[in-house]
Amino acid sequence: MHKDFFTYQAQTTQFAAGFEVEKAEGSYIYGTDGKKYLDFVAGVSANTLGHSHPKIVNAIKEQADKYLHVMVYGEYAQDKPIALCKLLAEATPEPLEVTYLVNSGAEAIDGSLKLAKRYTGREEIVSFKNSYHGNTHGALSVSGNETHKREFRPLLPMVSFIEFNNEKDFDKITEKTACVILETIQGAAGFLVPDNDYLIKLKRRCEEVGALLILDEIQPGFGRTGKLFSFEHFGIVPDILVMGKGMGGGVPVGAFMSSRKIMETLSHSPKLGHITTFGGNPLIAAASYATLKEVLDSGLMNEVDEKEKLFRELLVHPKIKNINGKGLMLAVNLGSPEYTLGVAKKCMERGLIVFWQLYRNEYLRISPPLTLSMEEIKEGCQIILDILNEN
């Protein structure tokens, strides 16, 4: 399997681990080597409820027994996609009320940009330096790291970039701006959290000039920060909300959400303003509904603060410079990319899966399932501390 993986499956780097997976359950991934590995990454924030959660698995099985794909998005009424969209509307504040289901977070970003342009009739987009929104052409266009973009230009025109947490840049948001798009918590940059009232002031500026505010909650969404969506910590509601990753509990999904007034503009002049064949797939919607229902009903979000505190209490060491983030999305600064990658490799050898931040490789990524127990937190943190002590 290791040889065939590198022979036949396209790679994203020249140093993929090639770890051979046998099965995954709860907080653990089991390798074909007979070992189990405690997972502090959760498929890069995707496995909200851990691996093979029985409610998600059962929801998929039940739907598979009924039907799979029957029609392109938006034509037929199907139970699970409707239930998912209704539950999202009930769980989010006004004016968020209508959801467009797609296949991934990156597609949801592209759809949200189209929606903002269509609704406002404007062409300019403002995004943020060091942001990450995905790798489709549209999402890459509004991502703020030139190293990852340079070889794929030309990208979308009329996109400008401002600094996160810098109010002095607000004058670049004008009456020509269709939308401002940002991650509520910057992910690839090292889990950077907005300063006090920054988002409130940003939303106010958007309202002053008639621009829409798009919040990318693809990573922090679905309870990871102790709220269903992290914008709930900061006193605002976006005009357009983008979600993905943890939404499906381990299956590929994305969505963007807005008011009915804004969203309906994609249905006319021209019709099919956004169209997707497999968006709203009933199998995926069943898994997503089961995930959302469990996040809302289980009390797991109430445990997030306590779990974050335990991580911060345990991960104290001279080699740890600082810890960014909120809730169960934490970035541990180990000083240099080389050292951090070495620590991640040694953690894997000891049975702990950790990762690193896309742009800031000096930060060790910790984004475990919400279901991770306090004992598992202690177990994993001890492995990290032992490695820091030894190297």
Side-chain angles (χ1 to χ4, degrees):
M1 187 159 65
H2 188 274
K3 179 182 178 182
D4 285 351
F5 170 67
F6 287 103
T7 302
Y8 300 109
Q9 189 168 341
Q11 303 296 302
T12 57
T13 70
Q14 295 179 321
F15 50 85
F19 170 62
E20 298 182 16
V21 178
E22 178 69 25
K23 66 175 184 176
E25 185 175 5
S27 300
Y28 292 89
I29 299 177
Y30 296 79
T32 56
D33 57 6
K35 291 174 59 178
K36 70 175 184 178
Y37 297 80
L38 179 59
D39 186 3
F40 269 18
V41 179
V44 189
S45 301
N47 295 96
T48 302
L49 301 176
H51 298 280
S52 304
H53 192 283
K55 290 186 178 180
I56 298 175
V57 173
N58 288 337
I60 293 172
K61 288 179 177 178
E62 289 176 7
Q63 182 59 46
D65 285 339
K66 295 179 180 179
Y67 59 89
L68 300 180
H69 176 73
V70 291
M71 179 52 74
V72 295
Y73 181 86
E75 288 295 322
Y76 290 179
Q78 302 173 64
D79 175 48
K80 290 305 179 184
I82 294 169
L84 173 59
C85 293
K86 182 178 180 181
L87 188 56
L88 278 167
E90 293 171 348
T92 52
E94 294 181 351
L96 302 173
E97 54 187 340
V98 179
T99 301
Y100 197 121
L101 300 171
V102 293
N103 299 285
S104 69
E107 186 190 353
I109 291 292
D110 281 16
S112 73
L113 297 174
K114 291 168 64 179
L115 177 59
K117 287 181 173 182
R118 172 66 182 86
Y119 179 74
T120 63
R122 301 175 182 181
E123 300 176 346
E124 294 183 4
I125 297 170
V126 174
S127 187
F128 284 75
K129 298 174 183 177
N130 295 315
S131 61
Y132 177 77
H133 296 287
N135 266 271
T136 57
H137 261 68
L140 192 62
S141 298
V142 294
S143 294
N145 185 294
E146 183 59 26
T147 300
H148 287 255
K149 298 163 62 169
R150 186 179 301 117
E151 303 304 322
F152 306 105
R153 291 190 176 280
L155 296 169
L156 286 181
M158 305 179 77
V159 179
S160 60
F161 294 87
I162 62 178
E163 288 187 0
F164 192 66
N165 280 329
N166 184 357
E167 298 173 31
K168 295 180 180 179
D169 278 352
F170 284 176
D171 60 356
K172 297 178 182 178
I173 304 168
T174 72
E175 285 79 5
K176 295 181 180 180
T177 305
C179 61
V180 176
I181 181 169
L182 78 158
E183 303 155 277
T184 314
I185 297 176
Q186 280 202 322
F191 291 162
L192 302 181
V193 178
D195 292 339
N196 290 338
D197 294 336
Y198 176 75
L199 291 183
I200 293 175
K201 295 173 183 176
L202 177 62
K203 179 69 184 297
R204 186 182 303 137
R205 176 60 179 172
C206 289
E207 291 172 343
E208 288 172 356
V209 300
L212 298 186
L213 178 63
I214 303 174
L215 286 185
D216 177 345
E217 289 267 355
I218 293 170
Q219 289 205 62
F222 293 85
R224 185 155 294 281
T225 66
K227 301 282 189 182
L228 185 60
F229 293 103
S230 65
F231 71 78
E232 297 174 77
H233 293 286
F234 303 110
I236 66 157
V237 180
D239 297 297
I240 304 174
L241 173 65
V242 179
M243 61 195 83
K245 284 192 182 291
M247 177 180 182
V251 298
V253 66
F256 54 105
M257 191 176 188
S258 191
S259 68
R260 184 174 307 279
K261 179 181 178 182
I262 293 174
M263 191 70 79
E264 69 180 4
T265 58
L266 287 181
S267 67
H268 63 89
S269 308
K271 63 180 183 296
L272 307 179
H274 189 74
I275 188 64
T276 175
T277 298
F278 289 110
N281 177 276
L283 203 69
I284 302 303
S288 299
Y289 177 83
T291 301
L292 177 57
K293 195 78 167 64
E294 182 69 7
V295 168
L296 292 172
D297 295 348
S298 63
L300 283 169
M301 287 190 287
N302 297 330
E303 301 173 5
V304 169
D305 284 350
E306 186 179 1
K307 290 175 180 178
E308 177 189 356
K309 287 176 184 175
L310 183 58
F311 269 114
R312 290 185 180 275
E313 288 171 3
L314 294 175
L315 292 178
V316 176
H317 192 278
K319 293 178 181 175
I320 295 176
K321 312 303 179 185
N322 66 287
I323 300 178
N324 290 340
K326 188 172 183 61
L328 292 179
M329 50 185 303
L330 301 173
V332 181
N333 185 355
L334 297 181
S336 74
E338 295 76 19
Y339 183 67
T340 301
L341 296 177
V343 169
K345 182 178 179 181
K346 292 182 184 299
C347 283
M348 189 73 177
E349 293 170 358
R350 302 282 181 91
L352 175 68
I353 297 172
V354 290
F355 212 51
W356 51 88
Q357 300 299 94
L358 180 61
Y359 297 159
R360 301 290 300 276
N361 294 164
E362 69 270 29
Y363 281 96
L364 198 69
R365 177 196 185 92
I366 295 178
S367 58
L370 272 59
T371 49
L372 191 75
S373 71
M374 303 297 273
E375 286 304 312
E376 289 166 340
I377 292 173
K378 293 175 184 177
E379 176 188 343
C381 287
Q382 190 58 56
I383 292 172
I384 295 172
L385 293 171
D386 287 344
I387 291 170
L388 296 181
N389 284 331
E390 296 168 8
N391 297 274

